[in-house]
Every structure is written in structure tokens, then in C-alpha cells.
Amino acid sequence: MSFSRQTFVFSIMFFLFTFMSACGKGTLDDANDLISPIDQITIPDDVQVIGLGEATHGNIEFQKLKKDVFQALMEHANVRVFVLEGDFGGGQQINDFILNGNGSAKDAVEALDYGIYRTKEMIDLIQWMHDYNETANEEEKIYFYGNDMQRYDYNKAGLLDYYSIVNEEAAESFSLKLEHVTNESMHDFTEDELKEIDKIVDSIIADLQANEDSYVEHSSQEEFIFALQYAEIMKQRTDLLMNEDSYARIRDKYLAENLEWIVEFETARGHNKLFVSAHNGHIEKTSAAFGYESMGDYLDDIYGERYFAIGTDFLESTFQAYNSGKNERKIYTVKNRNKLVRAFEDFDPNIFYIDFKKADESEDLREIITSKQRMPNIGDDFRAWYKFIKFFYTIKMTPDEAYDGIIIVKEATPTSVLN
């Protein structure tokens, strides 16, 4: 073997040894004392908004965590308001079902018109909320909201239903003007057509504001407030489509504003704590994804220490996601062995919670969560080749700057989207 070949082989062996060492065990000696089961999650008393992030939308475990974490917060913090990264108008269909029993859990979930939520796990969650509310007293009932603005139909329907009560003539006029505007058709409008729709919605908002006293007299203050919010959501939807180059930035700003609206509305009704479930990228506080400010960053600015963010991570995830290039949903598997999950990989439970305040009890954990590392950030659109480049499914961030705690799922399994 020539010297150059020997050098080459030695270099390869050295690289492999270094790589394997870096990927080796990182288990903490005191890991058992640093974790909690999900049903024992607690938050500081002064927290007002609790966020739960999803490392991916397409896993059974992350969807089930919505219920498990919310149930723990119900028990330990008297939280009764559940907010989902989903359509505001569709969310009110869910709220109607869990409070009044109108329709079915499956119909209510389908009203969101999001493929990621058309799963058995989401239907089970909504059915559980309905069943709980059936026996709960008024002070203990659960209320459901969506804070997203990417759909139109149920917001328009809610607004026009209100007008049919307070001003039939205006209801007919606005219904005719917006007849052609639907979830599907909005994608085909030109910029001028979108601007015209925006003007119509502006005229509706102006009409509501000018006639508030009269309209409230024929309905209620609460119904009026909701009608105005339906119109605002419709305006937000149009604004997103008119500014697609800034879509992500504008959307997270609206997600935060809509959540703030829900907080204020529910606080006035006596609910001073709220739970919100969304993607990790929306919940985290540091806007680690380049190019826009995350909802969690906005919430951190608004609420400060009253916003408590819980992220999620995994060792291995087999998940379903949409491949828009092929117009199909597929199953993918990725691994993410960053410092944080490696530190707990030998521990027995598949799912557990780490409150970052406990890091004060462990110098090793404190060092891990204060160092930058790649954490999962998988949206609903994915390609098979993404898994070979971590840039496409992780974001580099400092855990304790982004979150107040984290739930680790060692092995996550895929959801199935129902027809």
C-alpha cells in the first residue's frame, strides 16, 4: 500500500472514529431525577399562556400529547381554554360541538379543512372534550378556538349568519358580493380581484363599527364581538394572498394577534389561563427559522414570563407528510440525535417531560440546554431527500432560550389521514 493510500485510509478511519464518538452515548447519570411523566406537568402560577409545540404534525404521539398536556393543565392549573393552530371559523364549529353537541366529532374536525388534523387522534380529542363538557358544570367547561387565518368559508358563514339576525338587507347584499369567494376560489384571484374583496370586507368592518349599538341590541355583545373577529380573519386571509412573498412572516404575526384576541376575550369571561398547540416553529420564542418572527417570539414580547413554551423532540420519528410535488401523502423516517435527546436515550419511558428549571440541579443538563443544537422542525410538506440534509428538517437553536421545558418522544409513529 503506497504512502498516499495509507494516509487516505487512515484519514477515513480517523473521520469515522470521530463521527462515531460524537454520535455516541451521552446519557446523564442523574437523568431519572430530571424528568417527569406528562400527567405531572406543572407551570408557575403567574403564567397566562402555555404553548405546546409539535416537532412534526404527522405523528400519533405528538397529536395525543395535545390531550395529555391539556388534561394535566386542567388538573394542576385550572386551564379550560384550548387553542389550536387551525382555522378560526372551523374552530368555532368544534366549539359548537363540544358545548352543544351539534354534529359529530368527525364533522367538527373536518371543518378545520386541514389534512394534518383529519386523524383518529384528533377526532378522539374532540370527542373527549364533548364528553367531558356533558357532565361538567358551567365554570368547568372547555372552550375551543383556532387562531389561524388560512381558510375562508366558515368565517364568512359565521359573519353572514350574524347579519341575518341584525340586518337582513345587509346580509343579502354582502352575501351576493362575497358569493364567489371560497376556500378554493381565492387561490385563483388576481391581485386586483383580491384588492376588491379586501375593500368589501373593509366596508363590512366599517358597517359593524358604525352600527354596534343597534346590532348589539338585536343580538348580544358577545355575538357582535365574534362577528367583527370573523371579518378580521377574512381580511387577514386576503392580506396573506396579496403578500405571498411575506406569507410566513405575516401569518405568524396574525397568529399572535388572534391568540391575544382570544386571551382578552376569555379573560373577560373569567378564564385567565389558556393553552395553545402549534408547530414547534410557531411556539418557540427565538425566531430561530431565518426570515420571520415566530408567534412564540411575539407572545414572549407581549406576555414575558406569563408565556410558558413547551417544545417537543425525538430520537427517531416515522411520520406522514404531504409531498406537494407529487400531490400525495407518504411515510418518512428521520433521526435526530442532538445533545439533548442523546442525554436521555438510555432512559426507559418513551415519552417524558423535562422542566428546564430542573437544569439548575444538574450542571451537565445546564450545559446541554444552553448550547446551540439542531432541533426538529418538520412541517406538513416534506420530500424524501430532505432527510439526508438536516437543514431541511431541523433548526439550530438554544433549547432554554426557545423553550421553558421540552417533551421527548424517543420513537414516534405515524398518523393516518382519514378519507
Side-chain angles (χ1 to χ4, degrees):
M1 184 182 292
S2 67
F3 176 78
S4 58
R5 189 175 179 186
Q6 286 179 322
T7 303
F8 174 76
V9 172
F10 176 80
S11 299
I12 292 296
M13 291 176 66
F14 178 79
F15 169 78
L16 289 174
F17 174 79
T18 304
F19 176 78
M20 293 302 292
S21 297
C23 294
K25 302 295 184 184
T27 303
L28 295 172
D29 293 335
D30 52 354
N32 188 53
D33 299 324
L34 299 170
I35 70 170
S36 305
I38 304 305
D39 62 3
Q40 293 182 21
I41 289 178
T42 59
I43 59 169
D45 291 338
D46 60 348
V47 167
Q48 191 169 9
V49 177
I50 306 100
L52 173 66
E54 287 185 324
T56 160
H57 288 309
N59 283 118
I60 289 174
E61 289 76 11
F62 295 132
Q63 290 210 355
K64 284 185 173 181
L65 279 171
K66 292 176 171 59
K67 174 181 177 291
D68 296 339
V69 174
F70 184 64
Q71 199 167 9
L73 295 173
M74 288 175 64
E75 180 178 350
H76 301 304
N78 196 34
V79 178
R80 291 297 185 275
V81 181
F82 187 107
V83 182
L84 182 70
E85 178 199 343
D87 176 52
F88 181 84
Q92 286 309 296
Q93 301 302 302
I94 292 177
N95 196 52
D96 185 39
F97 170 70
I98 68 172
L99 288 173
N100 305 313
N102 294 324
S104 68
K106 185 174 185 293
D107 292 340
V109 169
E110 287 181 348
L112 292 171
D113 192 33
Y114 283 33
I116 56 174
Y117 297 141
R118 201 173 292 122
T119 65
K120 179 183 182 300
E121 291 72 32
M122 283 300 299
I123 292 171
D124 289 346
L125 168 65
I126 302 308
Q127 186 65 53
W128 171 80
M129 290 181 171
H130 167 274
D131 296 346
Y132 168 86
N133 276 345
E134 274 195 319
T135 58
N137 60 44
E138 286 301 317
E139 292 74 25
E140 298 296 317
K141 287 188 184 295
I142 296 169
Y143 294 85
F144 189 99
Y145 290 88
N147 68 324
D148 212 340
M149 71 308 303
Q150 295 188 107
R151 299 294 185 271
Y152 207 84
D153 292 356
Y154 281 106
N155 298 289
K156 183 176 77 169
L159 176 64
L160 295 177
D161 284 347
Y162 180 75
Y163 264 106
S164 70
I165 297 170
V166 300
N167 188 334
E168 290 186 7
E169 184 178 343
E172 292 179 9
S173 174
F174 292 138
S175 179
L176 187 62
K177 290 178 180 179
L178 294 172
E179 184 178 19
H180 63 302
V181 188
T182 67
N183 287 344
E184 297 302 322
S185 67
M186 289 200 77
H187 296 281
D188 299 324
F189 292 141
T190 65
E191 185 175 348
D192 287 341
E193 288 171 327
L194 289 170
K195 287 180 179 178
E196 185 60 34
I197 294 167
D198 193 47
K199 288 180 182 178
I200 295 169
V201 176
D202 278 340
S203 70
I204 293 173
I205 292 173
D207 179 77
L208 287 167
Q209 293 171 337
N211 295 285
E212 178 176 354
D213 291 343
S214 172
Y215 290 170
V216 169
E217 185 179 345
H218 289 85
S219 57
S220 69
Q221 188 66 47
E222 184 174 303
E223 288 173 308
F224 175 84
I225 291 172
F226 264 91
L228 191 57
Q229 182 64 6
Y230 283 132
E232 291 289 350
I233 296 290
M234 292 161 64
K235 185 172 176 61
Q236 291 173 7
R237 179 62 183 137
T238 309
D239 189 35
L240 279 183
L241 292 171
M242 288 193 298
N243 295 278
E244 291 194 312
D245 290 343
S246 305
Y247 194 100
R249 177 182 61 80
I250 295 172
R251 181 177 172 230
D252 267 64
K253 177 175 178 290
Y254 284 147
L255 285 171
E257 289 179 1
N258 294 336
L259 189 72
E260 188 177 14
W261 180 93
I262 297 167
V263 170
E264 291 176 0
F265 181 80
E266 285 297 332
T267 299
R269 296 209 299 186
H271 301 128
N272 61 357
K273 293 184 187 294
L274 172 153
F275 171 83
V276 57
S277 172
H279 193 272
N280 269 352
H282 297 305
I283 293 297
E284 65 97 1
K285 301 178 180 182
T286 59
S287 299
F290 177 76
Y292 75 102
E293 187 172 353
S294 68
M295 177 185 72
D297 203 341
Y298 282 109
L299 296 179
D300 191 41
D301 289 340
I302 296 168
Y303 299 105
E305 292 186 355
R306 290 177 295 141
Y307 174 55
F308 193 92
I310 301 172
T312 54
D313 205 336
F314 58 76
L315 272 168
E316 179 171 310
S317 172
T318 300
F319 62 97
Q320 64 85 10
Y322 180 64
N323 184 329
S324 59
K326 295 185 177 181
N327 192 30
E328 63 181 3
R329 288 193 171 274
K330 296 190 68 175
I331 303 295
Y332 306 92
T333 297
V334 297
K335 296 181 180 180
N336 185 53
R337 300 181 74 254
N338 58 36
K339 292 179 183 178
L340 181 55
V341 295
R342 287 208 327 265
F344 295 89
E345 66 181 334
D346 284 344
F347 200 71
D348 288 336
N350 188 48
I351 303 174
F352 49 88
Y353 173 64
I354 307 164
D355 189 328
F356 286 166
K357 280 192 174 180
K358 285 197 171 183
D360 294 334
E361 303 170 13
S362 168
E363 289 185 12
D364 291 336
L365 180 58
R366 170 57 59 191
E367 182 180 350
I368 290 170
I369 66 173
T370 55
S371 63
K372 279 198 170 184
Q373 53 202 282
R374 289 211 160 270
M375 304 189 74
N377 185 57
I378 298 172
D380 188 42
D381 198 344
F382 201 81
R383 306 288 192 280
W385 58 272
Y386 284 6
K387 64 183 181 181
F388 298 111
I389 307 174
K390 281 200 168 185
F391 173 84
F392 288 104
Y393 66 91
T394 62
I395 297 178
K396 198 169 187 179
M397 62 174 69
T398 304
D400 83 329
E401 292 177 4
Y403 304 114
D404 298 287
I406 198 156
I407 295 172
I408 292 178
V409 178
K410 291 170 66 176
E411 293 185 15
T413 53
T415 55
S416 296
V417 174
L418 306 176
N419 293 326

